Amino acid sequence: MERILVSACLMGRKVRYDGAAKTSNDAILATWRSEGRLVPFCPEVEGGLPIPRPAAEIEGGVGGAAVLAGTARVLTTDGTDVTGAFLAGAQAALAVAQSFRVRLAVLKEGSPSCGALSIYDGTFRGRRTPGQGVTTALLELHGIKVFTESHLPDAATYLQTLTQ
Ligand code: SF4
């Protein structure tokens, strides 16, 4: 069976920086859960960060690829450099994904780890900019297609192409 990596917060786990979840009640996710396809994972917690934790953004809003390349950092609201934890979490996500032969992931949009289409711009003013989080960038570098929780029908279509 084709397994799917999913942000743990979308599955109701209280792992976000503010100690909350972002539970998705989408029927597609519910079906996949009942099929036993889902592999819930939180890169930030697995990277060693606590719950709760200070909010963090990629400096300059330049995206996860720049963090992977070492040209941008991930900073918290008080300027603490948490790049190492974000990189460790991304590597852990990749290792888990590869252990399940994952080719498809559904990750929480806007996160500096999990964002697939947009992230925050590094100013902590609630402004989004196009870009990916660190984990998403690493997964896609390794051929894993990442969808947001707002594009589950597209993810389902992609899953069909993998299972045909
Ligand atoms: Fe959710 Fe990803 Fe943030 Fe963890 S790192 S709380 S899985 S968005």
Side-chain angles (χ1 to χ4, degrees), residues 7-9 15-17 41-44 53 108 111 113-114:
S7 291
C9 59
V15 290
R16 296 185 77 228
Y17 75 96
F41 194 86
C42 176
E44 292 175 22
R53 54 191 173 276
K108 177 76 189 72
S111 155
S113 291
C114 293

Side-chain angles (χ1 to χ4, degrees), residues 13 20 134:
R13 299 197 186 168
V134 181

